[in-house]
Amino acid sequence: MADLTLVRNHIQAVTDSEVEYLRQLNLGIHSHPETAHEEVYAHEILTGFLESRGFNVTRQAYGLSTAFEAEIGTSGPIAIFCAEYDALPKLGHACGHNLIATSSTAAFLGLAQSVKKWNIPGRVRILGTPAEEAHGGKIKLIAAGAFSDPAIAAAIMVHPTSQRGIKDGYHGTAGWQSIANSLLRVEFHGKGAHAGGDPWNGVNALDAAVSAYSSLSMLRQHIQPDERIHGIIEDGGKVPNIIPDYTRMQWSIRSRTAARTESLLARVKACFEAAGAATGCSVSYVIEPMYQDIIVNDEFCQIYTEEMAELGRNVQLKSDTAATVSTDMGNVSHVIPSFHGVFGISTPDGAPPHHAAFAKAAGSEEAYSEAMICGKAMAMLGWRILTRP
């Protein structure tokens, strides 16, 4: 077995040789933000880059038009690097998914070349995972079999966050914890009428939406500190002189675990049903698959912190508490052993992820450099997983 120092040096040499190409890839994705399942540019630039390096790439993988997969090796355990690249509506890459795609691509290149150089019995895969911000792209990939091979040993990725949100003295967190999230649309169906001429003949669907919103605002007082209920009215009617016969809301229900989220969702739905009953409207739901909480793999976290230390970065082994945000990587962690670390990038005060200033920071040279460092550590994490007894 190759000495770890030799492998580290080789991975760094491989990734450093691609530093300018990966920089352009990173900036290209950042400057072409695309929302869930619309990541056409990102899909094209990532697959084209991998193909230009001699990898066989499956485009539109697993039935998703903007997913892809590339792999080296024919037998042995599999290490998967997950690449996200979707953006937020109007905010662009305010969650820094361009950096995720870049770090995972760097990790894949470094580990793939190392496995080939030392003829290690194992497989290295990069999986392009669209639609993390909405619609649960990884949940769809799970259902399509992307993580079903019993030889899969690990799924690996890192996510940027504001350095201001990282514990003092650290550059990131290995065992980052998230909570579960249930996303649903709620539709109220009433009866239209002229708001001036005969409003008594109408059944006001907007009244139902407003009543539900008020009830949920009161419910928020009686939920746990690590729970969240937040929503918007997507369709509140068309013109003020017609009683709305249809309204639609979108809500996100979060709690520490999937089980607790289901319990909170039942309380939330009671508010919708009460609003429908009070106004005479019928209620219907479109519920997305739940984003589950992340299961932290302590062994992977230990290895990653050791490898980041070799690169001059002090990383917290495990977060003190779970962040009240969610990711579909949580679902992957319930299927196979997974690693989802976070690394800090410099942002202005008051600019966490999902803020316009964070989107700008995600395109900085400093953020790119940090993503590349994480890519090298992830490659070494993959090496040590594939080569352990």
Side-chain angles (χ1 to χ4, degrees):
M1 190 63 63
D3 178 79
L4 287 181
T5 300
L6 292 177
V7 181
R8 290 185 187 113
N9 290 339
H10 184 255
I11 285 173
Q12 292 189 45
V14 170
T15 53
D16 288 348
S17 71
E18 297 282 11
V19 67
E20 185 55 38
Y21 298 101
L22 289 169
R23 178 183 287 110
Q24 295 307 314
L25 183 149
N26 176 65
L27 292 175
I29 295 174
H30 183 267
S31 62
H32 293 80
E34 300 163 306
T35 54
H37 294 305
E38 302 294 331
E39 309 97 329
V40 176
Y41 175 88
H43 180 271
E44 178 63 30
I45 193 173
L46 286 163
T47 56
F49 174 82
L50 292 167
E51 287 167 345
S52 73
R53 269 54 183 173
F55 296 102
N56 292 322
V57 181
T58 301
R59 301 185 181 213
Q60 294 87 45
Y62 299 100
L64 276 66
S65 63
T66 53
F68 69 88
E69 185 177 78
E71 182 176 302
I72 64 103
T74 57
S75 63
I78 305 169
I80 301 177
F81 297 106
C82 294
E84 298 177 6
Y85 35 83
D86 62 319
L88 289 156
K90 298 186 179 180
L91 287 175
H93 280 287
C95 220
H97 289 188
N98 58 299
L99 298 168
I100 299 173
T102 301
S103 60
S104 288
T105 302
F108 172 74
L109 293 174
L111 182 56
Q113 294 300 333
S114 299
V115 165
K116 288 170 63 177
K117 177 179 175 64
W118 279 283
N119 196 28
I120 296 300
R123 288 174 276 174
V124 187
R125 179 183 300 172
I126 184 169
L127 181 64
T129 63
E132 188 278 332
E133 294 291 352
H135 309 307
K138 293 186 195 66
I139 303 173
K140 294 177 180 178
L141 286 167
I142 291 170
F147 299 96
S148 61
D149 192 324
I152 296 173
I156 303 168
M157 64 169 286
V158 292
H159 197 299
T161 190
S162 172
Q163 182 61 45
R164 297 172 183 273
I166 300 293
K167 190 173 182 178
D168 288 348
Y170 295 101
H171 298 96
T173 303
W176 183 77
Q177 303 175 76
S178 69
I179 64 175
N181 179 26
S182 180
L183 185 67
L184 70 155
R185 280 186 164 86
V186 184
E187 298 174 315
F188 292 104
H189 304 269
K191 178 184 176 184
H194 194 294
D198 63 339
W200 49 85
N201 286 325
V203 177
N204 197 319
L206 182 57
D207 283 349
V210 172
S211 176
Y213 196 100
S214 297
S215 296
L216 289 167
S217 294
M218 289 184 280
L219 176 60
R220 288 191 186 105
Q221 183 183 4
H222 304 287
I223 61 177
Q224 295 294 325
D226 60 355
E227 295 181 327
R228 298 290 186 271
I229 301 172
H230 42 100
I232 58 170
I233 298 176
E234 292 185 310
D235 188 338
K238 303 305 179 189
V239 291
N241 63 343
I242 297 176
I243 300 295
D245 65 350
Y246 172 81
T247 55
R248 184 178 68 252
M249 311 177 83
Q250 184 176 178
W251 287 89
S252 185
I253 317 302
R254 303 182 197 257
S255 190
R256 182 65 186 88
T257 64
R260 280 180 54 190
T261 302
E262 289 285 5
S263 296
L264 183 57
L265 178 60
R267 296 170 69 189
V268 168
K269 290 178 73 174
C271 294
F272 297 137
E273 298 296 334
T279 58
C281 293
S282 61
V283 188
S284 60
Y285 304 98
V286 178
I287 301 179
E288 298 267 4
M290 184 182 296
Y291 283 36
Q292 294 179 290
D293 52 298
I294 286 180
I295 297 175
V296 173
N297 186 295
D298 293 335
E299 184 180 1
F300 293 176
C301 294
Q302 181 62 46
I303 295 171
Y304 180 79
T305 57
E306 291 171 5
E307 294 302 328
M308 285 293 277
E310 291 286 338
L311 295 162
R313 294 294 182 268
N314 187 25
V315 173
Q316 184 182 16
L317 185 63
K318 189 174 182 178
S319 56
D320 297 331
T321 58
T324 50
V325 296
S326 310
T327 171
D328 57 6
M329 191 66 176
N331 297 65
V332 177
S333 76
H334 283 255
V335 176
I336 58 173
S338 300
F339 175 82
H340 185 292
V342 296
F343 65 96
I345 65 173
S346 295
T347 61
D349 192 17
H354 290 215
H355 189 285
F358 190 95
K360 183 178 180 180
S364 69
E365 178 64 21
E366 179 203 357
Y368 167 70
S369 297
E370 290 301 315
M372 289 293 290
I373 290 171
C374 294
K376 295 170 184 177
M378 287 196 296
M380 279 304 302
L381 171 59
W383 173 272
R384 291 175 64 175
I385 290 169
L386 293 181
T387 58
R388 66 184 177 182

